[in-house]
Amino acid sequence: MFKKAVEAKSQQRLSGADRKKLKRSIKDKFPRASDSDLDALLPPKAEVTVAKFQNRVLVYVVEGGFPVFFDVDGRGSDIFPTVFALWMVPELLPAFMLKGGEVSRYVIGGADLMFPGISVPPEGLPSFAAGETWAVKVPGNPAPIAVGSTTMSSAEALKAGLRGKALRITHYYRDFLWESVEGRYVPNAGFLEDVVYEDPSLFPPAHDSAPNEVSCETSIDHQNNTKGGEAEESLDVNELQTDSGPALTTPKDGENDTANEITTGVADLELPDTGSANDTTDQLSASDVDSLLDKCLLQALHTTVKDKDLPLPGSTLWSNHVLPCRPSGMTLDIKKSSYKKLSKWLQAKASSGLVSVKEDKYKKEFMLLSVNRNHADYKSFKPEKRPVEKSDQSSAHSANETSSSKTLEVAEIYKPSVHVNSIFSSVGADIGKLYTASEASDIVFKYVEKENLVKPTDKSIVVLDAILCDALFKGAIKKGTAYPSQIHKKDIGSTFVSRMQPHHVVTRGNESVVRKGAVKTIQILTERRQGNKKVTKLSGMETYLIDAEALSSELQKKFACSTTIAELPGKKGHEVLVQGGVIDDLARHLIEHYGVPKRFIEVYDKTKR
């Protein structure tokens, strides 16, 4: 529905009668919605604007807030809530639960939801009819990531063996409707750029729990359980603009926990504020906050921001690096500084020569491109030697240094294929070398610059010559379909990388292994045997250079239970079987002791009813 950018033809305020009609339609369409839910989504005293698009879709926007509903055919019979509405009222719709966070990559990449990607509860799927409106959620995260219509009934699904398409997705996180909102945000720290995982704030830190009472927490790095994140900007003028009005504020504590979770917004969005009983920021002047901001930035540049991670979105820099470096017991609110906005602060740091930034015109966000580590401020700053929390986005490159002497690094790399060899050869690049996604994207943009393929009348469009067109689309276009003549700059990098051969490199200490294909996950499964007896199976550890025998012996001592090793049938590798339901502790041990990133661990508990 919103896979491509579509401009609004017109917008107008709803009359009182139309507003009541909309509210009645929503009440009839979504019986789960209480009166308080409807008031939260359509505040009684706030104006509601309807934007009409060229594809006949109507989008309803709360004045000074976000789009909350959209009408597919413009007739009032097919209304859906937006993800912004679902983040305010997460239980507005019934939801399909994905098998894991990795499956979300496909959904927010624009694919429909297939039955094999759904986690079926022990009691089976609930009853539903074809054409019903359902949401999509990720395990461990209460905020939905998409909404759509069921393609068949539950009876038909069972008859088909739970195969085929379950949900025709009409709107999802990171589609053009979400992108078009100036003050767009995410509901919690589990929402990353290309995937959604569990919300880290819902899982207590390991040191707060006794060994036998830990819940499965597959994250070595945590956000600071930040709350808030009000979006005060109106929507884009050319797309979903509403008349200026008061900012849409998130519900108070207790009214909607999901809406209060950490917000990692874009350039000019009000940034997360983490209050505490010992908060002293209110007593600081603007210049004091400026100084605190600079110290946190320098601490982050010294400790967590690595050159290999650049370019880095400004919102990611803020939430994953700057915020965790603030002093304990203090909030860090950029609105209390003299800059007021993240974009202005980053531009100021760029003007001083400390960093270089560039605005992504498409995403409307400033990107951190490089760090000047020879800058006087950087060289004179002495970073504090204290543990610094980082988000999951950097966990793929780091392990918990306090518990493992051998740091694990996992990197996805790509090898030129026959499709793209001509591009590499044209710019003098080695076709036998392995490249990161960023390096590969640089190659194709070097070719674009060399051949002067940027469209003169629209700098965001690349005109395809024969060589580039073949590299990107030859063999991928159906017979009888015309090849495209141009491509948007935002798509060229990912399309080019998708035409290369995926590899991955795993490094632990001085040992490094390069393998073909995508990174395989570690599988942890707990099931019942002989009545109430539980066993936990672990496989896939060899990918991360973990010896099965050494791990088995270690787990036997750690959990005071028997362990056995068996070869996997028909596969390379081993399976470690641990007596007892230690699924939670085992996942945490792999993260904290071996540094395995949480997104590479899949946990299945078959004992839960």
Side-chain angles (χ1 to χ4, degrees), residues 2 154 165 204 207 217 364 439 604:
F2 298 103
S154 53
K165 187 181 298 184
H207 60 266
E217 170 191 318
K364 299 178 182 178
E439 291 169 342
Y604 303 97

Side-chain angles (χ1 to χ4, degrees), residues 52 96 281 323 574:
K52 182 178 291 186
F96 289 116
T281 311
L323 270 184
H574 297 82

